[in-house]
Structures are given as structure tokens and as C-alpha cells.
Amino acid sequence: MYGSNAIAALAAFVEISACIASPLQMRWTSDYGESENYPSTFGPDGPWQAVVVHVGNRGTPNNRRGGVAMPLWPSGSDLTQILTVETGGNYSISNSSTAKTDGSSLGNSDSWFAQPASNSTNSGRGVFDEIAILSKLSEVDASPINASIMAADSYWVFDLPSGKNYTTDVGILGLGPNAEGRPDKANSILNQMKTKGDITSNSFGLHMGSVAHGQSGSMVLGGYDQSRALGDYAVFGYSTSPLAFLLDVSLGVEEGGSPYTKTPPSSLYRGSNGSEVGDLLVKQFGGARNSVLVTPNPAVPYIYLPYGTCEAVASYLPMAWNKDVNLYTWNTADPSFNRIINSPTYMGITLSDMNSKNLTIKIPLQLLNLTLTSPIVTTPITYFPCQPQNASYGIWTLGRAFLQAAFFGINFDQNISYIAQAPGPDMDQRVIREIKPTDTTITTNSIDSFRKSWASHWTPLPASPNSPADGSTSSASTSSKLSAGAIAGIVLATLIGIAALLLLALFLLRQHKKRQADGSDDGPKYTELNVDGGEASVTEYYKPQEMAGGQGRLAEMGKPLPHEMEAQSGIAEAPGTQSPVEIWASNVPARR
């Protein structure tokens, strides 16, 4: 229990530290707790958590009524986009004494493809206004930044396949550098903070965390939390957005036996689905054949992939296609649902970086069991956030669903980005690392932390005798093995056959000795053993003799009867290659 002096000393230390350039941990909506005026989580396709900033004139530190607290998705876009009172938000241009309109009309301004990926459109006025970043550890905000803002006072809607649309609750915090050719824009948020001495570099480290599992998000400006990045990491280049090559998608099991009703093949990736623009971009950027370009973006909810891949993954899971929302919804009544969700199952996303290094991010299927709520649907339903998409611009997006399980960092000073495996809810101790302007590497925790961080949240199934040691699935099916009854039948029949042969040998030996004794041996004979229903019998035949002088023909030898051994099962087929996956016509999303 801290005393008053200890608390005062701690507060003084925090305020002094805030004056020194160091990584700044942003505050999340989930840090506040739920309240009527400030919800801690957001939908309608989550639940999600967002970072919090103050927009507008804040007044004094003790009187922030001049500004408003606003939830925003963190992003590397070059423009901050917010909702106004006209579109359901809480920001008013006229109520902020520091707001200055620049006379421009802006719309669909996210440089990381948030609008086309999420099928949304917006329109509003260009505004310069103050944004204050809220710290997770201190009530003292970072000094206000003059930010370029698109204040959506006309509309901000997301279109649904049903023809309906809805308005979002959360805007986008643009932390990226100024776009080229935009002299009207204010200096970037990160660069202003760097110039003022709040942080040391134009960089950030992000992990979305999981609301459903009580795992808070991590957003560090000028650095990152080392405990959120595990094992090897991939390094990607950056131009107007970070780009990676998607090489593969798979289903796997981290440990124990497989809970899947059908064993998935090693790969479920179906390539670009014939996207000419996508294939051309991959060729221009030097990617491997059949790969596609993807960009991580926390401003959109789903994992958006070319047609064919989400469908292939879904064919091995208990779910059905919902054409009204363009998503797969889980069949929670299926007996395999709980077995699969509660096991160490994951969806693997394999990326290739700028050094041709491959990295697979494992997304536990528990994290892909999210909920659609109003206004998307009238009754909440659980869904799988993998959406087939024909990206006309040739780049697909890995949204918040992916970033629940992936660490994502950027150093704009070096134009590079990082992706690494993120931990589960039971993480290691937080360790905040600074990113210097010249840094091109990061430090990560052991990959062993991944399994440990999920251990209390899943239950491995007993491993079958021929399962891989790491619990991963294999495309070779084990369903062609003989049953236990068939094996027992074969063993029994073999023992009976051996016993019959021994009895026959003993019988022939005795008969031979008897003939020798009484002189009744008429010459060489041959015998035929018949085994029928487990009983052995012997038939003797005289061996044909050649006629004198070698003349004449040989007597024809009788054809022995075939021997059928009874077994308790049909013939087992030898293991072969995985047969093609069939997807029911009613379970396939229509191409758009």
C-alpha cells in the first residue's frame, strides 16, 4: 500500500519523465472502463478497443471542456479523419476556438486503402486543429499538435450487400508523414512530437490486443513494447503504405491432436484469383509467382483476401456463407465448434519480407470468433472475419482481426516496417523500448512465450500416435488405416495358418515313415493345403511320371483352389494425395 508521500513522489517522477524525450504509451478506451458517455469497446464487428485523443481547444489542464475526447483507430495514414456532430460524432468545428478551415473538401483520404477495403465512403471539410495525445501512465497530456484533419460533416457510411449502410463510431488517427504534393497539410503528428522533444523518432509500435480475452492494446509512439513481439520478425519497405508479399494461408494446431472433422491440407492459399492488376504489381515489386501484395491496417476490421482462399479455409470449419453481410458466420450448434475453438487451433498467414525471409503469423481461431451487432445485423451473430474481395487496385488488407495476433511497427525515418508474432492474453512483463531514428532492427521476446501466453485459454486434445510432434496438421490422411477389428482378424487368421502348417508337417512326416516301414510308398506325391473357415485339410496327388524314353505327354497338374482369408473389414486403400476440396455451391460467395 503506497503512502501519500510515495504517491506524490511517483507523480512527480512521471511528470519529470514526461519532459524528457522517451516513448509515449497511448491511452486506450478500455483503460477507462465502460461509461455512458465514453464506451470502452466498439463494434459493430468486434468487439474492438481504440486509442483516445483530445481534439480542439482543451482549455487548461484542469478544464478540458473546450476539447472533446475522441476514439480513433491508430494508422500510418497521412490524414486524421474524425466524425462531427453532423455525422454522429462529438466534434464541432464552430465550438473549437483553435479550429481553422482551409476551404478544401476532402473524402476517402486514407492513404492505406481503408475506404476501398472496407467499402466505405466519407466527405467533409479540411481543418487544422489541435490534437493532444493522451498517455496511458499520466494524466498529463503531451503538448498539443496542430494536425491536418478531415472533419466528416457530410457523411461517413459503410455500404452493405443488402443495400443498407451505417455510420461508424470511430475515426482514424493519421500518424504518417505528409503526402507528397500536399503543401496545405500541417507537419505530421509524429514529426512535431519529435521536434518538441516528446519522442525521439518518427516511429510507433502497435498490437491491437483482444477485448474478448481482456488483453489491452499497445500503441507506443517513438518506440514499442518488446513483450508484444515474439521470435523472428520480418522487415518490409515503406512508400505510401507498408507492403508485404502474401505467400500462404493455412489451418494448424499448435499442440496436441487435431480437432478438425476433416484434415486440412498443408496449404489453403488460392493465389490472386486471376487479378491482372495484382499480378502486375507483384511482378513490378519483384515478388514470387502466385503471391499477392498485402498491407496491414488497423483502420479496417477484417482479413481481406482474394477470392478462393477464405472459401477454402471455411470448408474445413463449421460455418456458412451469409450473403447479406459478405462474411462467413460460425455454426455454434455444430458439435465440432467448441472442440475446434477451445483447442490450440490457428489460421496461419505466411508473409515474405524485403530479404525474402518467410514468417508465419499464427492467429488463434479464438481470436477469429467475433460478433456482428446492430446496425449490421438485427440479432448478434458470431462470424469469421475473413472476407473474399476483388481488390481492383491490386492490394489486399490485413485489418484489426490480423493485428490481434501480430505486432506491427514502423520507423518512418528509415522507411521500414516490422511484423512479428504477438502473444496471447497471459503476456510477459511489459518492456518499453525506444526506436532511434537510425534503427533498422528491434528486440523481441522468445517465441516460446506464444504457447505459454495461451496455455490457460485452450485445451489440447490427446495426440494420435502418428500426429506430428508440434501438433501441426498434415495433408496425408490417416483415415485409410485398418480398424482395430480388421487388425485382430488378420492376426488370428495368421496364427491359425501357422498352426495348420505345423500340423501338416507333422502329419506328412508320420505318413512318410509309415510308408517306408510297410513298403507302400508308391512314389513321390504332392499335397495341397486347404484352409476354410479356420479348418485345415490336406489332399494328396501322385506326381506325374515321364514315359519311357521321354515319349508321350505330361499328365496335367490339377489347378489348386485359391485361398481366401476372412477378415472383418474391407480392403484398405493406400494413403494417397489429398483429394481436391469441394465447396458446396450454396456456400460460395458470389464474385463482385
Side-chain angles (χ1 to χ4, degrees), residues 387-399:
Q387 186 173 79
Q389 187 177 78
N390 179 22
S392 59
Y393 46 94
I395 299 174
W396 285 263
T397 306
L398 306 177

Side-chain angles (χ1 to χ4, degrees), residues 240-262:
T240 56
S241 65
L243 294 175
F245 295 110
L246 173 65
L247 295 184
D248 201 9
V249 177
S250 59
L251 285 174
V253 184
E254 178 66 14
E255 58 179 320
S258 173
Y260 301 110
T261 303
K262 298 183 297 180

Side-chain angles (χ1 to χ4, degrees), residues 316-373:
Y316 289 90
L317 299 172
M319 56 182 57
W321 177 251
N322 187 324
K323 61 182 178 59
D324 293 330
V325 294
N326 266 1
L327 291 164
Y328 285 94
T329 54
W330 289 97
N331 180 4
T332 57
D334 190 292
S336 67
F337 171 76
N338 286 324
R339 183 176 73 247
I340 290 174
I341 287 296
N342 293 326
S343 296
T345 50
Y346 64 82
M347 177 178 174
I349 302 287
T350 302
L351 306 173
S352 178
D353 74 356
M354 61 192 299
N355 299 312
S356 194
K357 175 182 177 181
N358 296 347
L359 175 71
T360 298
I361 299 298
K362 299 176 179 178
I363 314 171
L365 291 185
Q366 290 188 26
L367 295 178
L368 302 180
N369 179 30
L370 297 171
T371 304
L372 295 175
T373 58

Side-chain angles (χ1 to χ4, degrees), residues 205-464:
L206 167 70
H207 174 219
M208 285 300 300
S210 169
V211 170
H213 290 81
Q215 183 183 33
S216 64
S218 174
M219 181 67 182
V220 182
L221 306 184
Y224 63 99
D225 182 352
Q226 179 182 319
S227 70
R228 303 291 182 126
L230 307 179
D232 289 339
Y233 60 90
V235 182
F236 306 93
Y238 178 88
S239 54
T240 56
S241 65
L243 294 175
F245 295 110
L246 173 65
L247 295 184
D248 201 9
V249 177
S250 59
L251 285 174
V253 184
E254 178 66 14
E255 58 179 320
S258 173
Y260 301 110
T261 303
K262 298 183 297 180
T263 302
S266 58
S267 176
L268 294 167
Y269 177 59
R270 298 295 182 263
S272 69
N273 191 48
S275 169
E276 293 183 4
V277 177
D279 292 343
L280 179 61
L281 285 177
V282 167
K283 185 176 181 179
Q284 289 178 339
F285 279 85
R289 184 177 179 274
N290 206 40
S291 63
V292 296
L293 284 169
V294 293
T295 185
N297 190 351
V300 296
Y302 311 139
I303 298 170
Y304 304 85
L305 299 177
Y307 276 98
T309 297
C310 292
E311 297 92 316
V313 173
S315 69
Y316 289 90
L317 299 172
M319 56 182 57
W321 177 251
N322 187 324
K323 61 182 178 59
D324 293 330
V325 294
N326 266 1
L327 291 164
Y328 285 94
T329 54
W330 289 97
N331 180 4
T332 57
D334 190 292
S336 67
F337 171 76
N338 286 324
R339 183 176 73 247
I340 290 174
I341 287 296
N342 293 326
S343 296
T345 50
Y346 64 82
M347 177 178 174
I349 302 287
T350 302
L351 306 173
S352 178
D353 74 356
M354 61 192 299
N355 299 312
S356 194
K357 175 182 177 181
N358 296 347
L359 175 71
T360 298
I361 299 298
K362 299 176 179 178
I363 314 171
L365 291 185
Q366 290 188 26
L367 295 178
L368 302 180
N369 179 30
L370 297 171
T371 304
L372 295 175
T373 58
S374 177
I376 295 180
V377 293
T378 54
T379 303
I381 53 175
T382 56
Y383 80 102
F384 179 62
C386 185
Q387 186 173 79
Q389 187 177 78
N390 179 22
S392 59
Y393 46 94
I395 299 174
W396 285 263
T397 306
L398 306 177
R400 292 189 293 276
F402 171 78
L403 293 168
Q404 293 178 106
F407 165 83
F408 173 51
I410 280 192
N411 185 352
F412 291 110
D413 290 325
Q414 293 295 319
N415 288 326
I416 56 174
S417 60
Y418 315 92
I419 292 179
Q421 181 69 56
D426 300 336
M427 302 172 294
D428 295 332
Q429 176 181 319
R430 179 192 305 159
V431 177
I432 303 300
R433 298 290 186 188
E434 182 180 69
I435 296 178
K436 295 182 174 62
T438 57
D439 284 349
T440 58
T441 62
I442 59 173
T443 303
T444 65
N445 280 9
S446 169
I447 192 61
D448 295 338
S449 296
F450 174 70
R451 186 175 293 189
K452 290 188 294 184
S453 67
W454 279 101
S456 65
H457 297 268
W458 60 33
T459 304
L461 296 177
S464 60

Side-chain angles (χ1 to χ4, degrees), residues 532-544:
D532 187 12
E535 297 183 2
S537 62
V538 178
T539 302
E540 287 190 339
Y541 300 89
Y542 284 99
K543 184 176 181 180

